[in-house]
Amino acid sequence: MRRRFGSVRARATLGATFVVAVALLAAGTAVLLSLRSSLTGQADGQAERSARTVAAQLALGTPYDKLSSLDDDERVVQVVDASGVQVAATEDLERISGAGPSVPRAQEDTGDDPSQEPGQDAGEDPGEDGGVAGGVAGASGGLDDDSDKDALEPGEIGDETRFGDGSATVDGDTADYRFAAVDVRDPKKGLLTVYAGASLAAERSAVRTALTVMLIGFPLLLAVVAGVTWLVTRRALRPVEDIRREMAVITAAAELTRRVPEPDTHDEVARLARTTNETLAALETSVERQRRFVADASHELRSPIASLRTQLEVGVAHPGLLDVPGAVEDTVRLQRLAADLLLLARLDAGEGPVAGARVDPAALAREEAAGRPEVTVVVEPGEQAPGEVAGSRGQLGRVLANLLDNAHRHARSAVTVTVRRAGGQVVVEVADDGDGVPEADRERIFERFVRLDDARGRDDGGAGLGLAIARDVAVRHGGTLTVRRTPTGGALFELRLPTV
């Protein structure tokens, strides 16, 4: 079951169908209740109009056999006196249940006893069981609620109308009715109550029809919703499946040059495809950079190792010809290269400054310049004196050392280090009086294992990693490292770090 409904398409279809089903159920219930209420209100109006029409005739003293509404086949009317005895009723009315006194059977006017009320057999006691004196049968709606009947004057009709549900049997047919009860005081016969009923057949028929339509239409509508949602979701997720399939191929073949298809849309799927391609491009660049790094490192390591091996082999064969200083120099060069490679590996792994550590760039510059007679350190005093920066003392010291080594190799006679504050940053400038860096190469010199042609001729053991390490450390500390030309034509390296 979990596998069957585990796809996004299946869950979306089920979710949409469930939501629509709940909405349709709520809407259908509201429609049925509203329809029933509306039709019941119409029946109340018809019943009340019939009851008040008869009450108005009784208020004028109209005899029972002259009441105009008693011969209407579509309405049920019953008139009872204060004791609950039926005194008049609709022709062919046999029984009323749920409203007013019960009528045992239809009575015919035989004319035997003029004083006998309609609906009462000759010699029949109105109070006997099964007679016309039954009282209200407890219909809903308050038909038998107490009202201020004694306050009515002769010929006056009560203002209150009481409603309730019931059933009536007319000429052998029983049907449901909505009854209205109105009190009236006959000038001659006293207090009377008129019960008039309007048929609920139209209401029940309309409700049944609406319910039947809903029971048939709702499942069909839900089926349409489910089908449309399934197709639309399938169409919407097709690019995602294409992306997944292409990523599977790229992973299996390790072809980082391939890219996933980007749909010609502006939705989330298109953005996902673009982001995936950007990630693949970054991954390709990173892998290519690592491959180039390994190749360059192997090449740089080969030379000192080969030189050291050659010297050792000569020393073994001819001890007197062993160049010990040269071997030591190659070993030191090899050691520095290994240290540089290890530091770059740590930087690539995400190593950053220690949290909470602080460094004074001015003191660090004086420390690194010690023992270098050609280096002059200038620190701006006063309010503009540089502050401290957050970072690793060892890594920032390595940056200054690499910049000073680079300036020493290219300077003619002097190197100047200036430490100052600019806004919220500490600026460390290392300037030399050499030939400077051509503008076209000012970014390339920060790449790993890159050495300019003149540097190769004058190189004293560098592998082209010093400036690359310096920039990587600067970036890890939230700063920047750039190069430009001094007013005298030399190179000016500018290191900017945020203060704390």
Side-chain angles (χ1 to χ4, degrees):
M1 182 65 68
R2 178 179 299 179
R3 183 176 181 181
R4 181 179 301 176
F5 298 107
S7 66
V8 175
R9 182 168 53 180
R11 292 198 298 269
T13 301
L14 288 177
T17 304
F18 176 76
V19 170
V20 173
V22 172
L24 289 177
L25 180 61
T29 302
V31 168
L32 290 177
L33 292 177
S34 176
L35 177 61
R36 181 175 181 180
S37 176
S38 176
L39 294 176
T40 301
Q42 295 179 10
D44 286 345
Q46 295 176 3
E48 183 179 10
R49 286 193 296 271
S50 298
R52 290 197 172 274
T53 299
V54 175
Q57 297 177 17
L58 293 173
L60 297 176
T62 304
Y64 298 145
D65 57 351
K66 301 296 185 181
L67 296 175
S68 60
S69 299
L70 299 184
D71 56 354
D72 192 341
D73 295 337
E74 297 180 357
R75 301 176 185 177
V76 172
V77 178
Q78 181 187 47
V79 182
V80 300
D81 58 15
S83 60
V85 177
Q86 174 179 297
V87 296
T90 299
E91 186 179 359
D92 295 332
L93 176 63
E94 299 177 3
R95 181 174 297 277
I96 292 179
S97 299
S102 61
V103 181
R105 56 188 177 83
Q107 304 293 333
E108 297 182 0
D109 186 9
T110 59
D112 295 338
D113 188 357
S115 65
Q116 184 178 346
E117 298 294 343
Q120 178 181 347
D121 289 337
E124 183 179 26
D125 185 359
E128 294 292 335
D129 185 24
V132 294
V136 177
S140 62
L143 281 180
D144 51 353
D145 293 342
D146 293 334
S147 59
D148 193 9
K149 302 177 181 180
D150 296 336
L152 294 178
E153 299 294 336
E156 185 179 359
I157 302 174
D159 294 332
E160 180 184 3
T161 303
R162 303 180 298 281
F163 298 96
D165 293 332
S167 62
T169 303
V170 180
D171 197 17
D173 296 329
T174 302
D176 294 328
Y177 285 83
R178 183 69 173 173
F179 287 95
V182 176
D183 297 324
V184 61
R185 187 172 292 277
D186 190 297
K188 298 179 180 179
K189 301 177 179 60
L191 183 64
L192 301 174
T193 301
V194 180
Y195 294 93
S199 176
L200 294 177
E203 175 203 0
R204 303 294 166 81
S205 177
V207 171
R208 283 195 300 268
T209 302
L211 182 59
T212 301
V213 171
M214 291 179 183
L215 292 177
I216 297 175
F218 283 5
L220 295 178
L221 183 58
L222 290 177
V224 172
V225 170
V228 171
T229 304
W230 179 269
L231 295 177
V232 171
T233 308
R234 179 181 180 181
R235 181 181 180 87
L237 293 178
R238 185 177 301 165
V240 178
E241 177 60 22
D242 294 339
I243 294 173
R244 186 207 63 79
R245 188 181 301 109
E246 185 65 22
M247 286 296 296
V249 173
I250 293 174
T251 303
E255 297 181 10
L256 296 179
T257 57
R258 300 183 62 163
R259 296 295 181 264
V260 300
E262 295 186 13
D264 188 18
T265 58
H266 301 282
D267 55 7
E268 293 81 357
V269 177
R271 292 195 292 271
L272 172 63
R274 286 193 292 271
T275 303
T276 302
N277 284 334
E278 292 172 359
T279 303
L280 289 173
L283 183 60
E284 180 187 6
T285 302
S286 177
V287 171
E288 181 62 28
R289 182 180 181 184
Q290 291 296 328
R291 290 174 179 171
R292 187 169 60 250
F293 176 77
V294 172
D296 292 339
S298 301
H299 176 74
E300 292 294 335
L301 287 170
R302 185 182 301 138
S303 296
I305 292 176
S307 176
L308 181 60
R309 178 180 177 178
T310 299
Q311 296 182 52
L312 293 176
E313 289 177 347
V314 171
V316 171
H318 307 281
L321 299 178
L322 177 62
D323 184 7
V324 176
V328 172
E329 182 180 352
D330 287 339
T331 303
V332 171
R333 180 184 177 189
L334 186 61
Q335 182 181 11
R336 289 177 179 175
L337 181 57
D340 288 343
L341 293 176
L342 180 61
L343 178 56
L344 284 174
R346 293 202 305 267
L347 292 176
D348 289 341
E351 179 179 305
V354 179
R358 296 187 177 185
V359 181
D360 183 357
L364 190 62
R366 295 189 183 97
E367 180 181 332
E368 294 296 333
R372 300 174 187 261
E374 78 281 4
V375 178
T376 301
V377 178
V378 179
V379 179
E380 293 188 358
E383 297 181 356
Q384 295 299 322
E388 294 182 334
V389 298
S392 170
R393 183 178 184 84
Q395 291 185 7
L396 292 179
R398 184 65 175 275
V399 172
L400 289 177
N402 290 351
L403 293 178
L404 291 176
D405 289 342
N406 180 77
H408 172 73
R409 286 195 297 269
H410 296 86
R412 294 188 177 91
S413 59
V415 176
T416 303
V417 179
T418 304
V419 183
R420 58 186 176 85
R421 182 165 184 163
Q425 293 180 321
V426 174
V427 181
V428 180
E429 297 176 340
V430 179
D432 62 64
D433 57 354
D435 296 332
V437 181
E439 186 174 357
D441 297 323
R442 289 179 185 176
E443 282 297 319
R444 196 168 69 89
I445 61 174
F446 292 106
E447 298 178 5
R448 299 175 183 182
F449 299 105
V450 171
R451 289 173 294 181
L452 301 184
D453 292 338
D454 59 344
R456 293 183 183 274
R458 300 177 54 191
D459 185 66
D460 59 354
L465 294 177
L467 295 180
I469 292 175
R471 170 166 279 189
D472 284 352
V473 172
V475 172
R476 295 289 180 183
H477 285 71
T480 59
L481 177 61
T482 57
V483 61
R484 63 177 187 272
R485 185 179 296 274
T486 65
T488 59
L492 174 62
F493 287 85
E494 182 180 82
L495 172 66
R496 288 179 175 266
L497 297 172
T499 59
V500 293

